[in-house]
Amino acid sequence: NEFNTGWQVINGTCSGRTFKLGLAGEMRCGDFNVRMKYSSAIFSYREDWVVVVRGNYVYDRVSGPTHRLDITFKDGAGAAARALPHGLIGQSFSSTAPRQGKQDVYPKDGRFATSAMAEGAIDGTASRYKMPGPHSTHFAFSRFDRAYLAAPVSGGGGRGGGGRGG
């Protein structure tokens, strides 16, 4: 609507039960919590990981969608150091050093085909992150089924990280 809010913005399931959340709604499912604010939603797992999704307008739009989603990832209580984050976004939490990868140089005009696939900023190549199915957690660098470490890893893992946007 014109106020960028809604009464049924988030739809989901918890233990087989469906739910819908809107303005000021909240739902807890075990260690997972969803809270809807004015035009943002906060998804948290324990107090370790928080994902904030904000709805916003596409300003100066020429064509296409009129709204966008701005997404922020946060780690709390040293979760990243204990969880050994993995995947394209998770790697940015694996140390405090920035990850700089290959970037395309776009021409001022004309058509352009991208070639950069984050080489240098990710472990391996982009093709090794392809998931075998929509609900799979297994890929070449997956740490999904591993337990949290008892103490944080000093200096982070592998080749650094630090950016929070993925």
PDB file of all heavy atoms in Angstrom, residues 49-75:
ATOM      1  N   TRP A  49      22.025 -15.719  14.843  1.00  0.00           N
ATOM      2  CA  TRP A  49      21.936 -15.188  13.489  1.00  0.00           C
ATOM      3  C   TRP A  49      20.653 -14.382  13.334  1.00  0.00           C
ATOM      4  O   TRP A  49      19.588 -14.812  13.768  1.00  0.00           O
ATOM      5  CB  TRP A  49      21.946 -16.321  12.466  1.00  0.00           C
ATOM      6  CG  TRP A  49      23.229 -17.065  12.469  1.00  0.00           C
ATOM      7  CD1 TRP A  49      23.493 -18.259  13.081  1.00  0.00           C
ATOM      8  CD2 TRP A  49      24.455 -16.664  11.882  1.00  0.00           C
ATOM      9  NE1 TRP A  49      24.790 -18.620  12.894  1.00  0.00           N
ATOM     10  CE2 TRP A  49      25.409 -17.654  12.150  1.00  0.00           C
ATOM     11  CE3 TRP A  49      24.832 -15.548  11.138  1.00  0.00           C
ATOM     12  CZ2 TRP A  49      26.723 -17.566  11.709  1.00  0.00           C
ATOM     13  CZ3 TRP A  49      26.141 -15.469  10.688  1.00  0.00           C
ATOM     14  CH2 TRP A  49      27.061 -16.472  10.977  1.00  0.00           C
ATOM     15  N   VAL A  50      20.758 -13.241  12.684  1.00  0.00           N
ATOM     16  CA  VAL A  50      19.605 -12.379  12.448  1.00  0.00           C
ATOM     17  C   VAL A  50      19.627 -11.942  10.980  1.00  0.00           C
ATOM     18  O   VAL A  50      20.658 -11.506  10.468  1.00  0.00           O
ATOM     19  CB  VAL A  50      19.630 -11.135  13.363  1.00  0.00           C
ATOM     20  CG1 VAL A  50      18.453 -10.215  13.052  1.00  0.00           C
ATOM     21  CG2 VAL A  50      19.622 -11.543  14.826  1.00  0.00           C
ATOM     22  N   VAL A  51      18.476 -12.070  10.327  1.00  0.00           N
ATOM     23  CA  VAL A  51      18.310 -11.580   8.967  1.00  0.00           C
ATOM     24  C   VAL A  51      17.185 -10.551   9.009  1.00  0.00           C
ATOM     25  O   VAL A  51      16.088 -10.849   9.476  1.00  0.00           O
ATOM     26  CB  VAL A  51      17.956 -12.712   7.978  1.00  0.00           C
ATOM     27  CG1 VAL A  51      17.716 -12.154   6.585  1.00  0.00           C
ATOM     28  CG2 VAL A  51      19.046 -13.770   7.953  1.00  0.00           C
ATOM     29  N   VAL A  52      17.474  -9.340   8.553  1.00  0.00           N
ATOM     30  CA  VAL A  52      16.474  -8.277   8.515  1.00  0.00           C
ATOM     31  C   VAL A  52      16.126  -8.021   7.052  1.00  0.00           C
ATOM     32  O   VAL A  52      17.015  -7.803   6.223  1.00  0.00           O
ATOM     33  CB  VAL A  52      16.998  -6.979   9.174  1.00  0.00           C
ATOM     34  CG1 VAL A  52      15.943  -5.881   9.104  1.00  0.00           C
ATOM     35  CG2 VAL A  52      17.423  -7.241  10.608  1.00  0.00           C
ATOM     36  N   VAL A  53      14.838  -8.068   6.740  1.00  0.00           N
ATOM     37  CA  VAL A  53      14.355  -7.826   5.384  1.00  0.00           C
ATOM     38  C   VAL A  53      13.479  -6.576   5.416  1.00  0.00           C
ATOM     39  O   VAL A  53      12.506  -6.522   6.170  1.00  0.00           O
ATOM     40  CB  VAL A  53      13.553  -9.025   4.845  1.00  0.00           C
ATOM     41  CG1 VAL A  53      13.075  -8.764   3.426  1.00  0.00           C
ATOM     42  CG2 VAL A  53      14.374 -10.306   4.922  1.00  0.00           C
ATOM     43  N   ARG A  54      13.861  -5.586   4.626  1.00  0.00           N
ATOM     44  CA  ARG A  54      13.108  -4.333   4.577  1.00  0.00           C
ATOM     45  C   ARG A  54      12.520  -4.138   3.181  1.00  0.00           C
ATOM     46  O   ARG A  54      13.234  -4.237   2.189  1.00  0.00           O
ATOM     47  CB  ARG A  54      14.028  -3.154   4.887  1.00  0.00           C
ATOM     48  CG  ARG A  54      14.507  -3.107   6.303  1.00  0.00           C
ATOM     49  CD  ARG A  54      15.459  -1.920   6.535  1.00  0.00           C
ATOM     50  NE  ARG A  54      15.880  -1.862   7.913  1.00  0.00           N
ATOM     51  CZ  ARG A  54      16.887  -2.565   8.418  1.00  0.00           C
ATOM     52  NH1 ARG A  54      17.578  -3.370   7.644  1.00  0.00           N
ATOM     53  NH2 ARG A  54      17.206  -2.455   9.687  1.00  0.00           N
ATOM     54  N   GLY A  55      11.250  -3.851   3.142  1.00  0.00           N
ATOM     55  CA  GLY A  55      10.616  -3.514   1.873  1.00  0.00           C
ATOM     56  C   GLY A  55      10.821  -2.047   1.582  1.00  0.00           C
ATOM     57  O   GLY A  55      10.770  -1.213   2.487  1.00  0.00           O
ATOM     58  N   ASN A  56      11.072  -1.708   0.330  1.00  0.00           N
ATOM     59  CA  ASN A  56      11.261  -0.316  -0.026  1.00  0.00           C
ATOM     60  C   ASN A  56      10.823  -0.108  -1.474  1.00  0.00           C
ATOM     61  O   ASN A  56      10.667  -1.065  -2.237  1.00  0.00           O
ATOM     62  CB  ASN A  56      12.727   0.100   0.146  1.00  0.00           C
ATOM     63  CG  ASN A  56      12.862   1.572   0.460  1.00  0.00           C
ATOM     64  OD1 ASN A  56      11.974   2.376   0.187  1.00  0.00           O
ATOM     65  ND2 ASN A  56      13.990   1.938   1.040  1.00  0.00           N
ATOM     66  N   TYR A  57      10.626   1.124  -1.846  1.00  0.00           N
ATOM     67  CA  TYR A  57      10.263   1.465  -3.215  1.00  0.00           C
ATOM     68  C   TYR A  57      11.494   1.459  -4.115  1.00  0.00           C
ATOM     69  O   TYR A  57      12.611   1.685  -3.654  1.00  0.00           O
ATOM     70  CB  TYR A  57       9.634   2.861  -3.265  1.00  0.00           C
ATOM     71  CG  TYR A  57       8.358   2.971  -2.475  1.00  0.00           C
ATOM     72  CD1 TYR A  57       8.344   3.611  -1.252  1.00  0.00           C
ATOM     73  CD2 TYR A  57       7.174   2.417  -2.955  1.00  0.00           C
ATOM     74  CE1 TYR A  57       7.167   3.711  -0.514  1.00  0.00           C
ATOM     75  CE2 TYR A  57       6.004   2.503  -2.220  1.00  0.00           C
ATOM     76  CZ  TYR A  57       6.008   3.149  -1.002  1.00  0.00           C
ATOM     77  OH  TYR A  57       4.868   3.242  -0.277  1.00  0.00           O
ATOM     78  N   VAL A  58      11.283   1.221  -5.384  1.00  0.00           N
ATOM     79  CA  VAL A  58      12.335   1.399  -6.380  1.00  0.00           C
ATOM     80  C   VAL A  58      12.195   2.835  -6.873  1.00  0.00           C
ATOM     81  O   VAL A  58      11.238   3.171  -7.562  1.00  0.00           O
ATOM     82  CB  VAL A  58      12.195   0.406  -7.547  1.00  0.00           C
ATOM     83  CG1 VAL A  58      13.235   0.684  -8.623  1.00  0.00           C
ATOM     84  CG2 VAL A  58      12.303  -1.031  -7.044  1.00  0.00           C
ATOM     85  N   TYR A  59      13.115   3.684  -6.466  1.00  0.00           N
ATOM     86  CA  TYR A  59      13.059   5.094  -6.823  1.00  0.00           C
ATOM     87  C   TYR A  59      13.618   5.319  -8.224  1.00  0.00           C
ATOM     88  O   TYR A  59      14.498   4.595  -8.682  1.00  0.00           O
ATOM     89  CB  TYR A  59      13.842   5.935  -5.801  1.00  0.00           C
ATOM     90  CG  TYR A  59      13.251   5.826  -4.414  1.00  0.00           C
ATOM     91  CD1 TYR A  59      13.831   5.011  -3.452  1.00  0.00           C
ATOM     92  CD2 TYR A  59      12.085   6.514  -4.090  1.00  0.00           C
ATOM     93  CE1 TYR A  59      13.278   4.899  -2.183  1.00  0.00           C
ATOM     94  CE2 TYR A  59      11.528   6.403  -2.823  1.00  0.00           C
ATOM     95  CZ  TYR A  59      12.123   5.597  -1.878  1.00  0.00           C
ATOM     96  OH  TYR A  59      11.563   5.487  -0.639  1.00  0.00           O
ATOM     97  N   ASP A  60      13.130   6.303  -8.912  1.00  0.00           N
ATOM     98  CA  ASP A  60      13.555   6.653 -10.276  1.00  0.00           C
ATOM     99  C   ASP A  60      13.472   5.457 -11.221  1.00  0.00           C
ATOM    100  O   ASP A  60      14.315   5.264 -12.096  1.00  0.00           O
ATOM    101  CB  ASP A  60      14.980   7.237 -10.273  1.00  0.00           C
ATOM    102  CG  ASP A  60      15.073   8.499  -9.451  1.00  0.00           C
ATOM    103  OD1 ASP A  60      14.107   9.289  -9.463  1.00  0.00           O
ATOM    104  OD2 ASP A  60      16.105   8.688  -8.777  1.00  0.00           O
ATOM    105  N   ARG A  61      12.466   4.653 -11.042  1.00  0.00           N
ATOM    106  CA  ARG A  61      12.254   3.427 -11.816  1.00  0.00           C
ATOM    107  C   ARG A  61      11.921   3.761 -13.260  1.00  0.00           C
ATOM    108  O   ARG A  61      11.148   4.666 -13.533  1.00  0.00           O
ATOM    109  CB  ARG A  61      11.131   2.663 -11.132  1.00  0.00           C
ATOM    110  CG  ARG A  61      10.546   1.544 -11.857  1.00  0.00           C
ATOM    111  CD  ARG A  61       9.385   0.987 -11.006  1.00  0.00           C
ATOM    112  NE  ARG A  61       8.519   0.149 -11.761  1.00  0.00           N
ATOM    113  CZ  ARG A  61       7.611   0.566 -12.625  1.00  0.00           C
ATOM    114  NH1 ARG A  61       7.448   1.850 -12.825  1.00  0.00           N
ATOM    115  NH2 ARG A  61       6.876  -0.281 -13.282  1.00  0.00           N
ATOM    116  N   VAL A  62      12.510   3.018 -14.186  1.00  0.00           N
ATOM    117  CA  VAL A  62      12.209   3.162 -15.607  1.00  0.00           C
ATOM    118  C   VAL A  62      11.175   2.119 -15.998  1.00  0.00           C
ATOM    119  O   VAL A  62      10.184   2.400 -16.654  1.00  0.00           O
ATOM    120  CB  VAL A  62      13.486   3.034 -16.465  1.00  0.00           C
ATOM    121  CG1 VAL A  62      13.152   3.052 -17.934  1.00  0.00           C
ATOM    122  CG2 VAL A  62      14.475   4.120 -16.112  1.00  0.00           C
ATOM    123  N   SER A  63      11.387   0.859 -15.569  1.00  0.00           N
ATOM    124  CA  SER A  63      10.437  -0.220 -15.818  1.00  0.00           C
ATOM    125  C   SER A  63      10.712  -1.323 -14.802  1.00  0.00           C
ATOM    126  O   SER A  63      11.666  -1.244 -14.041  1.00  0.00           O
ATOM    127  CB  SER A  63      10.575  -0.755 -17.250  1.00  0.00           C
ATOM    128  OG  SER A  63      11.837  -1.377 -17.412  1.00  0.00           O
ATOM    129  N   GLY A  64       9.886  -2.318 -14.784  1.00  0.00           N
ATOM    130  CA  GLY A  64      10.075  -3.442 -13.867  1.00  0.00           C
ATOM    131  C   GLY A  64       9.366  -3.238 -12.544  1.00  0.00           C
ATOM    132  O   GLY A  64       8.449  -2.431 -12.437  1.00  0.00           O
ATOM    133  N   PRO A  65       9.797  -3.958 -11.518  1.00  0.00           N
ATOM    134  CA  PRO A  65       9.117  -3.920 -10.222  1.00  0.00           C
ATOM    135  C   PRO A  65       9.104  -2.527  -9.596  1.00  0.00           C
ATOM    136  O   PRO A  65      10.002  -1.718  -9.832  1.00  0.00           O
ATOM    137  CB  PRO A  65       9.951  -4.872  -9.355  1.00  0.00           C
ATOM    138  CG  PRO A  65      10.726  -5.700 -10.303  1.00  0.00           C
ATOM    139  CD  PRO A  65      10.926  -4.870 -11.530  1.00  0.00           C
ATOM    140  N   THR A  66       8.103  -2.272  -8.777  1.00  0.00           N
ATOM    141  CA  THR A  66       7.998  -0.984  -8.092  1.00  0.00           C
ATOM    142  C   THR A  66       8.523  -1.060  -6.663  1.00  0.00           C
ATOM    143  O   THR A  66       8.696  -0.033  -6.022  1.00  0.00           O
ATOM    144  CB  THR A  66       6.535  -0.506  -8.050  1.00  0.00           C
ATOM    145  OG1 THR A  66       5.741  -1.502  -7.395  1.00  0.00           O
ATOM    146  CG2 THR A  66       6.008  -0.260  -9.460  1.00  0.00           C
ATOM    147  N   HIS A  67       8.734  -2.284  -6.157  1.00  0.00           N
ATOM    148  CA  HIS A  67       9.253  -2.470  -4.797  1.00  0.00           C
ATOM    149  C   HIS A  67      10.487  -3.367  -4.835  1.00  0.00           C
ATOM    150  O   HIS A  67      10.662  -4.160  -5.747  1.00  0.00           O
ATOM    151  CB  HIS A  67       8.202  -3.123  -3.897  1.00  0.00           C
ATOM    152  CG  HIS A  67       7.116  -2.185  -3.501  1.00  0.00           C
ATOM    153  ND1 HIS A  67       6.062  -1.875  -4.336  1.00  0.00           N
ATOM    154  CD2 HIS A  67       6.924  -1.478  -2.370  1.00  0.00           C
ATOM    155  CE1 HIS A  67       5.265  -1.031  -3.737  1.00  0.00           C
ATOM    156  NE2 HIS A  67       5.761  -0.757  -2.536  1.00  0.00           N
ATOM    157  N   ARG A  68      11.310  -3.222  -3.817  1.00  0.00           N
ATOM    158  CA  ARG A  68      12.511  -4.054  -3.690  1.00  0.00           C
ATOM    159  C   ARG A  68      12.614  -4.547  -2.249  1.00  0.00           C
ATOM    160  O   ARG A  68      11.953  -4.030  -1.349  1.00  0.00           O
ATOM    161  CB  ARG A  68      13.763  -3.272  -4.064  1.00  0.00           C
ATOM    162  CG  ARG A  68      14.099  -2.168  -3.070  1.00  0.00           C
ATOM    163  CD  ARG A  68      15.428  -1.503  -3.416  1.00  0.00           C
ATOM    164  NE  ARG A  68      15.927  -0.750  -2.295  1.00  0.00           N
ATOM    165  CZ  ARG A  68      15.877   0.566  -2.213  1.00  0.00           C
ATOM    166  NH1 ARG A  68      15.346   1.277  -3.190  1.00  0.00           N
ATOM    167  NH2 ARG A  68      16.353   1.184  -1.153  1.00  0.00           N
ATOM    168  N   LEU A  69      13.462  -5.547  -2.011  1.00  0.00           N
ATOM    169  CA  LEU A  69      13.763  -6.029  -0.672  1.00  0.00           C
ATOM    170  C   LEU A  69      15.231  -5.760  -0.386  1.00  0.00           C
ATOM    171  O   LEU A  69      16.102  -6.164  -1.151  1.00  0.00           O
ATOM    172  CB  LEU A  69      13.485  -7.530  -0.553  1.00  0.00           C
ATOM    173  CG  LEU A  69      12.037  -7.956  -0.712  1.00  0.00           C
ATOM    174  CD1 LEU A  69      11.919  -9.476  -0.654  1.00  0.00           C
ATOM    175  CD2 LEU A  69      11.157  -7.313   0.343  1.00  0.00           C
ATOM    176  N   ASP A  70      15.512  -5.075   0.718  1.00  0.00           N
ATOM    177  CA  ASP A  70      16.879  -4.855   1.187  1.00  0.00           C
ATOM    178  C   ASP A  70      17.122  -5.847   2.312  1.00  0.00           C
ATOM    179  O   ASP A  70      16.353  -5.889   3.278  1.00  0.00           O
ATOM    180  CB  ASP A  70      17.057  -3.424   1.693  1.00  0.00           C
ATOM    181  CG  ASP A  70      16.838  -2.391   0.596  1.00  0.00           C
ATOM    182  OD1 ASP A  70      17.076  -2.708  -0.582  1.00  0.00           O
ATOM    183  OD2 ASP A  70      16.431  -1.265   0.919  1.00  0.00           O
ATOM    184  N   ILE A  71      18.167  -6.644   2.213  1.00  0.00           N
ATOM    185  CA  ILE A  71      18.416  -7.730   3.164  1.00  0.00           C
ATOM    186  C   ILE A  71      19.735  -7.500   3.885  1.00  0.00           C
ATOM    187  O   ILE A  71      20.753  -7.224   3.256  1.00  0.00           O
ATOM    188  CB  ILE A  71      18.433  -9.092   2.440  1.00  0.00           C
ATOM    189  CG1 ILE A  71      17.098  -9.297   1.710  1.00  0.00           C
ATOM    190  CG2 ILE A  71      18.686 -10.224   3.426  1.00  0.00           C
ATOM    191  CD1 ILE A  71      17.065 -10.502   0.809  1.00  0.00           C
ATOM    192  N   THR A  72      19.711  -7.625   5.217  1.00  0.00           N
ATOM    193  CA  THR A  72      20.899  -7.476   6.054  1.00  0.00           C
ATOM    194  C   THR A  72      21.097  -8.762   6.849  1.00  0.00           C
ATOM    195  O   THR A  72      20.142  -9.287   7.427  1.00  0.00           O
ATOM    196  CB  THR A  72      20.724  -6.299   7.045  1.00  0.00           C
ATOM    197  OG1 THR A  72      20.435  -5.124   6.309  1.00  0.00           O
ATOM    198  CG2 THR A  72      21.963  -6.103   7.888  1.00  0.00           C
ATOM    199  N   PHE A  73      22.319  -9.256   6.891  1.00  0.00           N
ATOM    200  CA  PHE A  73      22.673 -10.440   7.682  1.00  0.00           C
ATOM    201  C   PHE A  73      23.541  -9.994   8.845  1.00  0.00           C
ATOM    202  O   PHE A  73      24.463  -9.206   8.649  1.00  0.00           O
ATOM    203  CB  PHE A  73      23.475 -11.439   6.830  1.00  0.00           C
ATOM    204  CG  PHE A  73      22.709 -11.993   5.672  1.00  0.00           C
ATOM    205  CD1 PHE A  73      22.643 -11.292   4.472  1.00  0.00           C
ATOM    206  CD2 PHE A  73      22.056 -13.196   5.770  1.00  0.00           C
ATOM    207  CE1 PHE A  73      21.932 -11.803   3.400  1.00  0.00           C
ATOM    208  CE2 PHE A  73      21.349 -13.714   4.708  1.00  0.00           C
ATOM    209  CZ  PHE A  73      21.280 -13.017   3.515  1.00  0.00           C
ATOM    210  N   LYS A  74      23.250 -10.514  10.040  1.00  0.00           N
ATOM    211  CA  LYS A  74      24.046 -10.179  11.220  1.00  0.00           C
ATOM    212  C   LYS A  74      24.337 -11.449  12.006  1.00  0.00           C
ATOM    213  O   LYS A  74      23.505 -12.341  12.087  1.00  0.00           O
ATOM    214  CB  LYS A  74      23.273  -9.222  12.136  1.00  0.00           C
ATOM    215  CG  LYS A  74      22.872  -7.914  11.509  1.00  0.00           C
ATOM    216  CD  LYS A  74      22.046  -7.101  12.478  1.00  0.00           C
ATOM    217  CE  LYS A  74      21.529  -5.828  11.837  1.00  0.00           C
ATOM    218  NZ  LYS A  74      20.671  -5.071  12.758  1.00  0.00           N
ATOM    219  N   ASP A  75      25.526 -11.501  12.591  1.00  0.00           N
ATOM    220  CA  ASP A  75      25.840 -12.593  13.513  1.00  0.00           C
ATOM    221  C   ASP A  75      25.936 -12.004  14.909  1.00  0.00           C
ATOM    222  O   ASP A  75      26.325 -10.871  15.090  1.00  0.00           O
ATOM    223  CB  ASP A  75      27.121 -13.322  13.121  1.00  0.00           C
ATOM    224  CG  ASP A  75      28.369 -12.458  13.256  1.00  0.00           C
ATOM    225  OD1 ASP A  75      28.275 -11.239  13.009  1.00  0.00           O
ATOM    226  OD2 ASP A  75      29.420 -12.996  13.589  1.00  0.00           O
TER     227      ASP A  75
END
